[in-house]
Amino acid sequence: MSQSQVWRTHRQYAATAARWTADRWRKEAERRSALRAERKPLVRDARRALATARAVDPEGVTSLRHRAERELRTAKRRVPDPMWLFATKTAAALGAAGYVWLPQVSVRVWVWSAVAVVAAVTALSMWIAVRERDTTGLKPTAEESALLKRLQPQHWKEHAEQRGLAGTLTGRPRLTEAGIVCAVRLDGTWTTTKLRSAEDHIRALLGARTSLRMQVKAGKQGGWAELILRTRSAADGDDLTWTPERRSLGIDTVTGEQVTVPLGERLLIAGRSGAGKSVASRPLLYDASEGATNALVIIDLKRVEGRLWDHRARVASTPHEVIDVTDELETEMLDRLSILPKGQDTWTPTPDRPRITVVVDEGAEVMTAADGVPYEVEAGEGKTRTVKRSALPALESIARMGRAACIDLWWMTQKPTINDGIPKQIAPQIGVSICLAVRTPAEARVVLGEDAQAKGWNADELPVPGVALIRDGKRKPDPVKVRYMDKSVVIALPDRTPWSRSAAPTVEAAGAPTLTLVKDTAPETAPATDGAAARVLKAIETADEPVRQKDLVALTGLSKGAVSKAVKALTTGGTVVRTSDGFLTVSRGDESAAA
């Protein structure tokens, strides 16, 4: 290597070192400046506290004054010197020490001291480089750079008063995967709730766009709040397309974790029109219809989403079909509960009698269209009469009692208000709430709880579509980006045999009577093994006198539809007969022979 190349290399090294030193100097100066702006108000508070203590205890006979003096000294020590003053003090101290000490030191000690100083400086430089290195790998965008600059304590202090935020001061802002997080110090006139109500003033001070999602939460200690600007999402860059390998409901935009909702929960899925309820529910419907011990029933009077799943789920799309399927479900539930072994809390799903997930989409339509549906029933002597029936009693019964029988109700609606889209008997039974964007804070409170706004569950501020809040008692109010499952993917799923009670084997209920018929004197009749029929038969047998069909509803606890079907099966088989005046009684052997 020539001499010119050597000098050129040395100049490059010197320039790099100079740039590195200047950059380190600038960063350290900015850090000290931010700390001074943050901690100097604490010194002023400590001085005011000391003045108050001196006024109360001028002689210093109590600990009040001494404690105030200690707190003032501590507050002063925590305020760093400006970089220029720190460098001046350091140079002065080194110069004085060198002037006094170096002439008295031997050459050997001087040399080893110089080596130790060089090693210490090198180690200090490496420590600063490692400490200041960006370990997150996050690079601020142009918008984030502007917000970070305006969140600096100096800028905030200069503009806070004219924006109506006097008495607040920001700490050092941090860029995270969820956006910008900054602590805000509050004086005695400010609270977290008051700062939250001043969101428009904060937005104006920062020059933030109107659509930027902003959160104000309580800080980790009293007198502090935490300001979060959702400039980015932890789900950014992830593929949200649903596949059998990516079966989660979505991704937490704050932590980046996969969010799942296990089967066995009673769900409420709410959101205004276009918020993405159907898309958000598809991964859940797949889980509910997959596996040998899972079955799916969809009640869809809109006849849109249910049609996609009719090759692997039982779908009811007319009011009469809804009432029929809810009657079957209620009868199945009661049958399972009647034969549930003593001491066992929940039913054990099997391929023959699986876990059944009942999905109502849309709830408001079911409350109106499936209520007061005309039905023709027998009135005796070959006559029929019209009665009006509703699917709601059976659905409410499933919501209250279905969990032990492994029959779970999922309620979906775009009108999340009590008695408009959610029945008042079903709302208290909900265990997990999935809320997409809603129109008003009142709707968010109905879905997510009365404390929704106070704790940050602001579903009325969610973007549309595909972002949800999930409240299950464990999660924080972090938005979740739901996965997208295309209609063509649903249609291409493998076929499965839909659940039907008539196709499922029944088990004889505990305590159900066994009918013994007299040979050659009565027509051969198959014993009633259906759970509802057994209950109805037992109620008729134990009654002191013939009973009316409407009285059996109260005696058995079954719905009107279940009682009607059981009576029809029993009368058709000859086990029960209807008298001329419409009463029901058990058929006797001699009567059968006489007939």
Side-chain angles (χ1 to χ4, degrees):
M1 181 181 293
S2 63
Q3 186 175 1
S4 61
Q5 291 176 333
V6 172
W7 281 109
R8 189 180 302 112
T9 302
H10 283 310
R11 284 197 299 272
Q12 290 175 351
Y13 287 156
T16 302
R19 285 194 300 271
W20 184 87
T21 304
D23 185 56
R24 296 298 100 185
W25 178 282
R26 178 180 58 79
K27 288 187 176 182
E28 180 64 18
E30 291 177 354
R31 187 184 71 85
R32 287 174 173 270
S33 178
L35 289 176
R36 284 175 61 82
E38 179 181 343
R39 296 175 180 177
K40 283 179 68 175
L42 301 178
V43 177
R44 290 196 295 268
D45 293 345
R47 283 175 177 163
R48 284 196 293 267
L50 178 59
T52 303
R54 285 174 176 172
V56 173
D57 182 18
E59 300 298 331
V61 295
T62 66
S63 62
L64 180 64
R65 178 173 174 176
H66 301 294
R67 184 168 60 251
E69 290 174 348
R70 287 196 304 270
E71 291 176 353
L72 176 59
R73 288 194 296 269
T74 302
K76 285 181 177 180
R77 284 197 300 268
R78 295 185 71 238
V79 178
D81 293 327
M83 192 61 185
W84 65 269
L85 182 58
F86 174 76
T88 302
K89 289 181 178 180
T90 304
L94 291 175
Y99 180 79
V100 173
W101 181 64
L102 288 181
Q104 304 176 12
V105 178
S106 64
V107 175
R108 179 179 297 178
V109 174
W110 198 96
V111 171
W112 284 110
S113 299
V115 172
V117 169
V118 171
V121 170
T122 303
L124 179 62
S125 301
M126 293 297 296
W127 177 78
I128 293 176
V130 171
R131 187 190 67 171
E132 295 292 337
R133 186 176 59 193
D134 183 9
T135 57
T136 63
L138 300 176
K139 300 299 180 183
T141 62
E143 178 190 27
E144 290 171 338
S145 298
L147 291 173
L148 289 170
K149 182 178 180 181
R150 292 166 187 155
L151 281 170
Q152 294 296 330
Q154 305 95 310
H155 184 276
W156 187 279
K157 184 178 180 181
E158 292 175 3
H159 299 85
E161 185 174 357
Q162 60 182 333
R163 291 295 184 182
L165 296 170
T168 64
L169 185 66
T170 56
R172 189 176 183 183
R174 296 178 291 109
L175 180 61
T176 68
E177 292 182 348
I180 298 174
V181 180
C182 183
V184 181
R185 182 176 174 271
L186 309 174
D187 69 6
T189 63
W190 283 90
T191 63
T192 302
T193 303
K194 183 178 178 181
L195 185 64
R196 188 181 295 119
S197 64
E199 179 181 322
D200 292 339
H201 299 280
I202 300 175
R203 199 178 296 275
L205 191 154
L206 299 178
R209 51 188 167 86
T210 306
S211 59
L212 177 62
R213 188 162 176 262
M214 183 182 300
Q215 286 181 283
V216 178
K217 302 165 54 178
K220 296 181 179 179
Q221 59 185 6
W224 288 84
E226 188 174 65
L227 175 64
I228 304 175
L229 305 176
R230 300 293 186 190
T231 55
R232 60 177 63 197
S233 166
D236 291 343
D238 290 334
D239 186 3
L240 291 171
T241 305
W242 183 93
T243 64
E245 293 75 27
R246 296 192 295 265
R247 289 175 53 175
S248 64
L249 174 62
I251 300 177
D252 191 310
T253 60
V254 176
T255 64
E257 297 176 345
Q258 303 289 332
V259 179
T260 59
V261 176
L263 294 177
E265 298 286 349
R266 289 163 290 188
L267 301 187
L268 172 59
I269 305 176
R272 61 188 176 94
S273 179
K277 294 186 301 301
S278 298
V279 175
S281 65
R282 286 171 188 166
L284 301 176
L285 297 182
Y286 173 82
D287 291 338
S289 63
E290 186 69 11
T293 59
N294 294 322
L296 178 63
V297 175
I298 300 178
I299 298 174
D300 180 20
L301 292 176
K302 296 187 300 182
R303 308 185 185 188
V304 177
E305 188 66 22
R307 193 179 303 169
L308 302 176
W309 297 87
D310 59 5
H311 60 296
R312 60 189 286 121
R314 171 85 174 269
V315 179
S317 55
T318 66
H320 284 85
E321 291 177 350
V322 172
I323 293 177
D324 290 342
V325 75
T326 53
D327 282 346
E328 286 188 46
L329 289 166
E330 186 180 25
T331 303
E332 176 71 13
M333 176 187 70
L334 295 172
D335 192 16
R336 292 185 182 186
L337 294 178
S338 67
I339 62 176
L340 189 67
K342 186 176 181 179
Q344 184 173 328
D345 295 331
T346 58
W347 180 263
T348 302
T350 63
D352 293 335
R353 306 189 84 168
R355 174 185 296 279
I356 305 173
T357 302
V358 186
V359 181
V360 177
D361 180 24
E362 142 86 31
E365 287 293 324
V366 173
M367 293 178 66
T368 55
D371 188 19
V373 180
Y375 258 77
E376 296 289 334
V377 297
E378 296 180 4
E381 299 181 355
K383 298 181 180 179
T384 61
R385 61 189 179 93
T386 302
V387 296
K388 291 185 177 181
R389 300 187 53 207
S390 173
L392 285 181
L395 290 172
E396 291 171 351
S397 180
I398 292 171
R400 289 190 298 265
M401 305 166 55
R403 186 170 187 177
C406 280
I407 301 178
D408 307 310
L409 180 64
W410 294 359
W411 194 272
M412 299 172 58
T413 182
Q414 63 183 7
K415 297 179 181 179
T417 51
I418 301 297
N419 286 339
D420 288 333
I422 308 174
K424 63 181 180 180
Q425 294 293 330
I426 292 179
Q429 310 301 327
I430 299 300
V432 177
S433 298
I434 302 177
C435 190
L436 292 95
V438 294
R439 292 181 178 84
T440 64
E443 294 181 342
R445 287 195 297 270
V446 171
V447 180
L448 298 170
E450 289 298 327
D451 60 346
Q453 283 186 302
K455 294 191 175 180
W457 298 89
N458 302 317
D460 55 308
E461 300 178 2
L462 292 176
V464 177
V467 180
L469 295 175
I470 303 174
R471 191 163 195 180
D472 57 2
K474 302 175 183 178
R475 288 186 48 78
K476 296 180 179 180
D478 299 336
V480 175
K481 276 193 173 181
V482 299
R483 292 198 178 277
Y484 178 75
M485 189 174 184
D486 191 72
K487 297 178 181 179
S488 59
V489 176
V490 177
I491 297 173
L493 292 174
D495 292 359
R496 296 201 60 191
T497 303
W499 174 86
S500 175
R501 179 167 169 79
S502 60
T506 58
V507 181
E508 185 174 351
T514 303
L515 301 181
T516 304
L517 302 181
V518 180
K519 187 176 181 181
D520 297 331
T521 61
E524 187 175 352
T525 308
T529 57
D530 185 274
R535 288 194 177 196
V536 170
L537 180 58
K538 187 174 182 180
I540 298 174
E541 284 183 328
T542 55
D544 295 334
E545 56 185 10
V547 296
R548 291 185 180 274
Q549 182 171 324
K550 64 179 183 180
D551 297 330
L552 292 173
V553 176
L555 293 174
T556 61
L558 300 173
S559 66
K560 294 180 180 179
V563 170
S564 177
K565 284 190 175 183
V567 169
K568 184 177 180 180
L570 292 171
T571 54
T572 302
T575 306
V576 172
V577 295
R578 191 186 299 272
T579 63
S580 59
D581 53 358
F583 286 89
L584 298 171
T585 184
V586 177
S587 174
R588 304 302 179 184
D590 53 350
E591 296 173 355
S592 299

